């Protein structure tokens, strides 16, 4: 995707991917010869509202996007995984039986999923494959969750087990928490596993219940990548988590999800100034997110946009995870009359904002915002018109050897 171009898919099921799908198919034939047995795919995500709520057992409202990681694969008779990444132009392999020392880079996400599957008592078996994607890496669109879920989807296919999206998103989250060492919540993995075409998903991050909410055809969801990347994000993220947990202890509840706005207001003076701000963000963001799902359902996109604006202010001023370039991007977006609301999205500290825009004006919006941001900040942003797409999927390409009728 070229800088500042407006990317969009031909349909709404993630089918811009065929470019990447063709690449992994072709790459597989060149590297391994013959046909792969399966092609697995898992999307990245953008969160409309509800950030830093997932690890507080709260609510989030993300959608899976039409950008994904694709994996063409075929089983092997031994217990090795051999995988070639087209994007990194690099090959890696590992044994499913030896917990060898951690290597560097992208392969650790695959090894982490294999480890977490095994640890959960789920079957694994060897395969060879070629992997590629069009989720920008490090932009806050969850390329790592997409990689984990494509891997999990592939393992399920190759071992012939029924795909269980909720359980598999937990496995992928464990891989990220305990193998890769990033203490993330469940949002990214769950939406990559469970996304619904043309819908956002309200996720209760305590019960993992989901409600799909249609996105009205009158609006476009536009991701605005500031071109900045997050530094020190892990330490800042973990510090925010710890502050939220400290606040929950003061309220005497398992998680901030259990504190409503009225209770917070009545007791906020029991918290020190910083903890109070962090908790205020989470408590109000949960309320906004829950309300946002109802507004989206009713098609009240103006009111939804207003909640997105409030969410940005809360993340900027109370949770303090924005940065000047994100604030500039959001205010430039808000100057456009076609924009209903805008906010930073994801962990913060860099990466992307998301804007809700009247669909008929989406192209003009994208051009105008990209130009104004370049003028203001001196960085050429990337702008993506995102279509809500389905979650992880698999396509069978050839019959399994022990399943010759191809059923
Ligand atoms: C990252 C994490 C998610 C979530 C968001 C913030 O994307 O991976 O679990 O905490 O930040 O909402």
């Amino acid at each position: 995707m070229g800088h500042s171009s407006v990317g969009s898919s031909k349909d709404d099921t993630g089918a811009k991917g065929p470019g990447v799908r063709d690449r992994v198919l072709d790459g597989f034939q060149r590297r391994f010869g013959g046909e792969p047995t399966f092609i697995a795919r898992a999307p990245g995500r953008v969160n409309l509202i509800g950030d830093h709520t997932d690890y507080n057992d709260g609510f989030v409202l993300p959608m899976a996007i039409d950008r994904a990681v694709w994996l063409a694969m075929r089983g092997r008779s031994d217990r090795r995984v051999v995988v070639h990444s087209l994007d990194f132009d690099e090959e890696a392999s590992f044994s499913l039986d030896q917990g060898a020392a951690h290597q560097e880079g992208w392969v650790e996400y695959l090894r982490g999923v294999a480890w977490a599957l095994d640890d959960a008592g789920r079957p694994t078996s060897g395969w060879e494959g070629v992997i590629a994607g069009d989720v920008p890496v490090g932009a806050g669109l969850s390329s790592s969750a997409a990689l984990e879920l494509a891997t999990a989807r592939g393992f399920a296919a190759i071992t012939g087990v029924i795909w269980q999206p909720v359980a598999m998103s937990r496995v992928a989250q464990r891989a990220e928490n305990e193998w890769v060492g990033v203490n993330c919540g469940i949002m990214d993995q769950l939406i990559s596993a469970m996304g619904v075409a043309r819908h956002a998903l309200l996720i209760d991050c305590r019960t993992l219940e989901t409600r799909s909410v249609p996105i009205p055809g009158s609006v476009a969801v536009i991701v605005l990548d500031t071109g900045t990347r997050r530094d020190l994000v892990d330490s800042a993220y973990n510090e925010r988590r710890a502050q939220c947990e400290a606040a929950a202890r003061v309220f005497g509840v398992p998680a901030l999800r259990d504190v409503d706005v009225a209770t917070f207001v009545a007791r906020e003076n029991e918290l020190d100034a910083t903890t109070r701000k962090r908790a205020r963000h989470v408590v109000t963001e949960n309320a906004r997110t829950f309300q946002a799902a109802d507004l989206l359902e009713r098609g009240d996109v103006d009111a939804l946009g207003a909640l997105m604006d409030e969410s940005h202010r809360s993340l900027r001023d109370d949770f303090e995870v924005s940065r000047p370039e994100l604030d500039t991007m959001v205010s430039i977006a808000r100057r456009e009359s076609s924009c209903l609301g805008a906010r930073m999205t994801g962990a913060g500290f860099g990466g992307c904002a998301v804007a809700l825009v009247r669909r008929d004006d989406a192209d003009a919006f994208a051009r105008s915002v990209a130009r104004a941001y370049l003028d203001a900040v001196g960085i050429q942003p990337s702008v993506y018109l995102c279509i809500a797409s389905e979650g992880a999927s698999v396509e069978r390409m050839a019959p399994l050897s022990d399943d010759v009728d191809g059923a």
Side-chain angles (χ1 to χ4, degrees):
M1 185 57 52
H3 281 317
S4 90
S5 57
V6 183
S8 73
S9 61
K10 295 190 187 65
D11 69 18
D12 52 11
T13 55
K16 177 169 52 59
V20 186
R21 181 184 173 281
D22 287 350
R23 280 174 61 215
V24 294
L25 197 51
D26 178 63
F28 186 92
Q29 282 155 351
R30 277 189 288 118
R31 169 60 186 84
F32 296 108
E35 295 292 319
T37 321
F38 295 105
I39 297 185
R41 164 203 151 273
R45 65 98 185 93
V46 61
N47 191 21
L48 299 182
I49 192 165
D51 272 309
H52 293 277
T53 45
D54 62 351
Y55 54 81
N56 291 295
D57 279 3
F59 297 93
V60 294
L61 188 64
M63 65 182 219
I65 60 174
D66 48 329
R67 293 175 165 271
V69 169
W70 295 74
L71 167 61
M73 63 196 313
R74 180 171 66 200
R76 289 168 62 100
S77 52
D78 61 9
R79 287 189 43 79
R80 284 197 77 73
V81 171
V82 179
V83 56
H84 184 87
S85 162
L86 296 178
D87 299 329
F88 293 97
D89 192 20
E90 213 173 78
E91 188 152 311
S93 71
F94 58 91
S95 160
L96 291 167
D97 296 322
Q98 289 153 22
H102 286 212
Q103 303 166 24
E104 284 294 301
W106 56 273
V107 73
E108 289 309 311
Y109 292 92
L110 287 84
R111 291 181 71 206
V113 169
W115 164 80
L117 283 168
D118 191 56
D119 203 60
R122 294 174 184 270
T124 55
S125 65
W127 50 267
E128 53 206 21
V130 168
I131 200 157
D134 59 359
V135 188
V137 173
L141 299 178
S142 294
S143 59
S144 57
L147 181 52
E148 290 154 7
L149 267 299
T151 304
R153 190 68 196 87
F155 267 115
I158 223 95
T159 55
V161 302
I162 291 170
W163 175 242
Q164 296 175 297
V166 176
M168 287 301 112
S169 60
R170 278 191 192 278
V171 162
Q173 186 200 10
R174 258 201 95 205
E176 179 117 10
N177 291 167
E178 289 174 45
W179 189 273
V180 180
V182 177
N183 211 8
C184 64
I186 191 72
M187 167 168 70
D188 306 345
Q189 287 76 18
L190 197 72
I191 187 64
S192 183
M194 303 268 299
V196 178
R198 296 182 297 279
H199 291 68
L201 223 56
L202 178 69
I203 302 172
D204 179 334
C205 296
R206 172 169 282 167
T207 63
L208 303 191
E209 280 166 348
T210 60
R211 171 156 71 99
S212 57
V213 186
I215 297 177
S218 60
V219 294
V221 173
I222 299 191
V223 169
L224 304 163
D225 186 346
T226 60
T228 61
R229 293 296 176 254
R230 39 198 214 192
D231 307 318
L232 300 177
V233 65
D234 292 352
S235 56
Y237 186 91
N238 290 341
E239 182 192 65
R240 296 299 185 284
R241 277 192 80 140
Q243 290 164 336
C244 292
E245 283 155 18
R249 280 196 295 278
V250 172
F251 284 102
V253 293
L256 281 178
R257 141 69 173 272
D258 301 301
V259 179
D260 60 20
V261 176
T263 307
F264 173 78
V265 170
R267 293 183 54 192
E268 62 177 303
N269 56 6
E270 293 171 38
L271 304 170
D272 68 75
T274 302
T275 313
R276 189 184 313 151
K277 290 206 289 185
R278 305 298 185 250
R280 186 190 299 130
H281 166 70
V282 174
V283 169
T284 59
E285 184 84 344
N286 270 330
R288 279 188 290 271
T289 304
F290 205 71
Q291 200 191 344
D294 288 339
L295 292 169
L296 187 60
E297 188 116 59
R298 292 207 298 270
D300 190 346
V301 290
D302 290 287
L304 172 60
L307 288 183
M308 292 171 71
D309 296 339
E310 268 179 49
S311 169
H312 183 75
R313 287 191 288 270
S314 179
L315 286 157
R316 183 190 63 196
D317 301 337
D318 281 341
F319 218 64
E320 297 181 283
V321 292
S322 189
R323 67 186 276 163
E325 293 87 346
L326 278 167
D327 297 338
T328 300
M329 184 68 96
V330 166
S331 59
I332 287 172
R334 274 323 263 119
R335 289 210 297 262
E336 298 291 316
S337 57
S338 57
C339 182
L340 301 158
R343 58 188 286 279
M344 55 150 279
T345 182
F349 307 103
C352 295
V354 61
L356 195 68
V357 177
R358 294 196 198 285
R359 173 163 290 274
D360 292 344
D361 302 318
D363 287 331
F365 169 88
R367 276 193 301 275
S368 172
V369 169
R371 204 180 312 118
Y373 179 81
L374 175 62
D375 285 349
V377 177
I379 300 174
Q380 181 76 60
S382 297
V383 179
Y384 309 110
L385 193 156
C386 290
I387 308 290
S389 300
E390 62 175 300
S393 57
V394 75
E395 212 182 321
R396 178 181 283 202
M397 304 302 293
L400 294 171
S401 51
D402 60 348
D403 188 9
V404 282
D405 66 3

